[in-house]
Amino acid sequence: MNRKSIGDQELALLHYLDERDDASVGEVAADYGQTRGLARSTVLTMMERLRAKGFLRRRKVGGVYRYASMAASEDVMRSAVGQFVANTLQGSLSPFVAWMSQRGEVSEQELGELEQLVAQLQSRRKER
């Protein structure tokens, strides 16, 4: 996914839209926007920015634009995490791992997922 960067609010909006087939600006403003204190114009601006960045597509249905995600939310999240690691952590995962170890509360499920990921990485390394 070679798209422009995405902010936290945009990512949350994409998750919201990913849970629906499509939605109009009015629908998103009434549900997603209202619960977050966002005006309709702000929601429209966010949706148009996401469309310009290639994350949303729109089509006219009955005189109203309907917006839908262009990629699965997992792909968007993976891209956002990749950008965070590259830009904020300068490509190093060590600060993130240090934060995780100091966080204190890691659920059994999260720990299991991390162990599974480490096992996959070790397996790939051995295949080389």
Side-chain angles (χ1 to χ4, degrees), residues 22-95:
D22 63 7
S24 69
V25 171
E27 292 166 351
V28 175
D31 185 19
Y32 175 87
Q34 190 172 39
T35 60
R36 288 164 179 78
L38 301 174
R40 184 186 187 285
S41 59
T42 302
V43 171
L44 172 61
T45 299
M46 288 174 62
M47 291 173 75
E48 279 300 312
R49 283 185 183 161
L50 287 168
R51 188 172 74 88
K53 291 178 181 183
F55 291 104
L56 293 180
R57 64 176 162 69
R58 76 174 187 192
R59 62 188 175 91
K60 206 167 203 174
V61 178
V64 175
Y65 283 115
R66 311 253 342 143
Y67 292 77
S69 295
M70 294 280 288
S73 61
E74 297 84 27
D75 294 337
V76 174
M77 180 64 76
R78 192 176 303 111
S79 175
V81 169
Q83 290 171 2
F84 174 76
V85 169
N87 299 335
T88 305
L89 302 181
Q90 298 175 338
S92 174
L93 292 177
S94 297

Side-chain angles (χ1 to χ4, degrees), residues 103 105-112:
R103 184 171 146 200
E105 292 185 28
V106 178
S107 71
E108 287 297 320
Q109 180 182 349
E110 288 173 319
L111 188 57

